[in-house]
């Protein structure tokens, strides 16, 4: 089925095929595949205003107005930040400033600060902002990307599980590029639509407006004036981890309809039965369940210790 007229954010073509009409909760949601390049997106793409409204209401619904993230959530965010820092460390000589767009509860900003960087960030949702400032002592402002003045302010910009939420990744990346010093670095993470992690009916989500393959992510970022420094993830990993450098020339998108057909094949590679019957799924699942249990037990002590250390350092 062909979609109503809509142009692809990556290659600009309007040859978009509807590949799914429901999200992972079986709610109506049209997902399209651009046959020109392989980018997967909502049809229609919601506006920035609709996205903002969605987050405002959904956050209140999910957390019932809580302003304190759970201990498990804090511990996971902190450990994830440690992983990101360790992964990037060899590339960080000369980097003094770090800025995160979509900083969430602020653990990554704070971790980079404790590692000696001048680190700050922005987060459009305000629900956890008091916790971020008063318990983590992290420099995260409650500001939207597009209201930031486009003056260079950082040597390294982080965008962790955020690019898939923009209504135009190109527009966001062009704005982001202006925030980075010349020759500065840009690190991005997002889910990998071509990784073996989900079946059609578990895959799509309203909040993920775009779904990238490693190739469509690289082409999207490079088209906005960056060049790839390193890809840390493999083609079969559930997430894509890529480090770019700001450069003068924007590259033409290196994509083709062949890649689009490959993306379609990868998305279709498992049905519900074969996905769950994979030996690696079962062992991974078992490991996941036991690690969840460990997390629940450990998180309380971990967070008490972390917040105590930060409070002593901050006072
Ligand atoms: Zn396209």
């Amino acid at each position: 089925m062909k979609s109503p007229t809509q142009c692809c954010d990556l290659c600009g073509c309007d040859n978009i095929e509807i590949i799914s009409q429901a999200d992972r909760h079986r709610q109506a949601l049209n997902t399209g595949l651009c046959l020109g390049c392989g980018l997967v997106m909502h049809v229609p793409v919601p506006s920035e205003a609709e996205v903002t409204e969605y987050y405002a209401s959904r956050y209140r619904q999910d957390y019932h107005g809580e302003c304190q993230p759970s201990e498990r959530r804090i511990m996971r965010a902190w450990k994830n930040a440690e992983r990101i820092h360790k992964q990037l460390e060899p590339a960080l000589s000369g980097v003094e400033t770090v800025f995160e767009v979509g900083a969430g509860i602020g653990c990554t900003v704070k971790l980079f600060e404790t590692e000696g960087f001048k680190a700050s960030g922005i987060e459009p949702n305000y629900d956890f902002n008091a916790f971020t400032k008063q318990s983590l002592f992290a420099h995260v402002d409650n500001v939207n990307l597009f209201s930031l003045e486009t003056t260079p302010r950082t040597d390294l910009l982080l965008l962790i599980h955020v690019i898939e939420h923009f209504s135009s990744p190109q527009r966001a990346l062009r704005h982001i590029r202006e925030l980075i010093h010349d020759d500065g670095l840009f690190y991005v993470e997002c889910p990998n639509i071509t990784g073996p992690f989900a079946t059609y009916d578990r895959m799509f989500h309203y909040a993920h407006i775009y779904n990238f393959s490693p190739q469509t992510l690289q082409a999207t970022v490079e088209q906005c004036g960056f060049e790839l420094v390193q890809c840390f993830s493999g083609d079969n990993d559930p997430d894509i981890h890529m480090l770019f450098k700001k450069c003068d020339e924007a590259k033409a998108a290196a994509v083709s309809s062949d890649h689009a057909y490959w993306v379609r094949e990868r998305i279709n590679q498992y049905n519900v039965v074969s996905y769950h019957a994979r030996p690696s799924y079962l062992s991974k699942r078992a490991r996941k369940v036991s690690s969840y249990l460990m997390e629940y037990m450990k998180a309380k002590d971990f967070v008490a210790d972390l917040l105590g250390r930060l409070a002593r350092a901050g006072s």
Side-chain angles (χ1 to χ4, degrees), residues 39-53:
L39 186 61
V40 175
M41 73 206 83
H42 288 0
V43 179
V45 165
S47 67
E48 293 290 347
E50 285 169 320
V51 173
T52 306
E53 174 50 33

Side-chain angles (χ1 to χ4, degrees), residues 7-16 33-41 216 253 255-256 260:
C7 292
C8 171
D9 195 66
L10 171 52
C11 74
C13 98
D14 65 355
N15 195 6
I16 294 167
L33 168 72
C34 173
L35 295 178
C37 70
L39 186 61
V40 175
M41 73 206 83
T216 55
V255 288
S256 68

